[in-house]
Amino acid sequence: MGIENRADRTNGNHTVPADDTAAAEVRTTVTVQEQLAEAGDRDAAPLSRAAIALLRGVVFRDRDEALWQAVLRERVRLMDYFQVIGLQLFVDEADEYAYLRQDESSGLPRIMPRHPLGFSLSMMLVTLRKKLGEFDAARGDARFIVTRDDLALSLRPYFPPVTNETQFVTRIDRDIQQAVQMGFLEPVGAEAAYAVRPLLRSFVTAGWLRDFEARLEEYEAYGRQDCGKEEEK
């Protein structure tokens, strides 16, 4: 399951999804800044800041209004620059976020690294995406909030019965934190409560879901094996 344009990784005898999100930890910011400065661009400061932020991860309007406006204002020049190094700029003005994707057709070396996703995190993202779709249809523009207990209840049927509840909850907490780091969840006021960010729609698409469901039996077998190993620890 590739969160961008589906690119799988192999783990032992099982294929597990790979993440190609804009949250990739790319550390080329100094080079970007130097190249823009050398070009003699009189507006290099906001352009450089926007480019650096995008290389570091997703830009959200609600986190930095000035940075978001810089991305919108410099969109064309950013697209031109990133195209040179094999990256594509995606801007969603409706949901107010922007990120970079690897242009697989460029033929250039990969900048955005792929990160394999485990079975449990994959199932969590699928569950969140389905719930977000149902919520969108029913509530429109309101924020969709989930709790750790909600997720644990929804995910429990996909795992074998556990003898150690603490281990299961620890697994859920670990996956939640990874989803937060990827920009799909955002902690809100209540303890163990999270807002599901619209960014999830861009990565977990209808095609992604169809492919995942077609291979669900294989993934579930992998999940049972993986859980069994954790239970033995």
Side-chain angles (χ1 to χ4, degrees):
M1 170 181 63
I3 287 193
E4 184 188 331
N5 290 322
R6 198 182 184 285
D8 287 346
R9 282 282 179 88
T10 300
N11 184 343
N13 295 324
H14 300 276
T15 300
V16 294
D19 168 36
D20 202 10
T21 70
E25 294 184 359
V26 181
R27 297 294 180 259
T28 58
T29 57
V30 174
T31 301
V32 174
Q33 196 170 32
E34 288 175 350
Q35 290 179 357
L36 290 170
E38 289 173 2
D41 191 334
R42 62 186 177 84
D43 298 320
L47 180 62
S48 297
R49 183 167 179 255
I52 291 167
L54 287 163
L55 283 168
R56 286 177 170 173
V58 183
V59 171
F60 293 100
R61 181 176 185 175
D62 61 4
R63 290 184 179 175
D64 192 326
E65 175 68 24
L67 181 59
W68 170 252
Q69 293 301 330
V71 170
L72 294 183
R73 189 169 54 252
E74 305 292 351
R75 182 188 306 190
V76 174
R77 290 197 292 175
L78 287 167
M79 291 175 66
D80 290 343
Y81 173 75
F82 286 123
Q83 184 178 21
V84 172
I85 57 175
L87 298 178
Q88 296 174 320
L89 174 62
F90 179 88
V91 180
D92 189 319
E93 292 192 57
D95 289 319
E96 301 176 333
Y97 61 84
Y99 64 92
L100 297 175
R101 281 180 169 173
Q102 189 76 36
D103 182 358
E104 303 293 348
S105 65
S106 69
L108 296 173
R110 171 168 287 278
I111 294 178
M112 295 296 184
R114 293 188 176 105
H115 303 290
L117 299 180
F119 168 80
S120 59
L121 178 57
S122 300
M123 285 304 311
M124 179 177 289
L125 296 182
V126 168
T127 299
L128 287 171
R129 180 62 184 90
K130 290 182 175 180
K131 288 180 176 292
L132 180 60
E134 294 168 359
F135 183 83
D136 287 343
R139 299 289 301 276
D141 295 333
R143 298 179 81 193
F144 175 39
I145 308 296
V146 295
T147 66
R148 180 183 66 183
D149 290 344
D150 293 335
L151 285 171
L153 185 63
S154 298
L155 292 168
R156 195 178 298 277
Y158 297 102
F159 295 90
V162 296
T163 57
N164 189 327
E165 183 66 20
T166 300
Q167 283 187 349
F168 180 72
V169 172
T170 299
R171 171 187 287 268
I172 297 298
D173 284 337
R174 180 193 65 195
D175 292 338
I176 286 175
Q177 290 310 308
Q178 190 167 350
V180 170
Q181 292 170 8
M182 294 165 70
F184 298 141
L185 292 177
E186 179 184 23
V188 294
E191 185 178 356
Y194 304 87
V196 182
R197 282 191 172 274
L199 174 68
L200 186 63
R201 299 190 195 103
S202 293
F203 293 98
V204 183
T205 62
W208 190 95
L209 288 171
R210 284 194 300 270
D211 186 63
F212 184 89
E213 289 175 351
R215 304 178 62 186
L216 187 56
E217 184 176 346
E218 177 186 348
Y219 287 135
E220 287 179 328
Y222 179 84
R224 287 192 294 270
Q225 182 188 63
D226 189 37
C227 287
K229 290 179 180 178
E230 288 205 1
E231 287 291 317
E232 292 172 2
K233 291 180 182 179

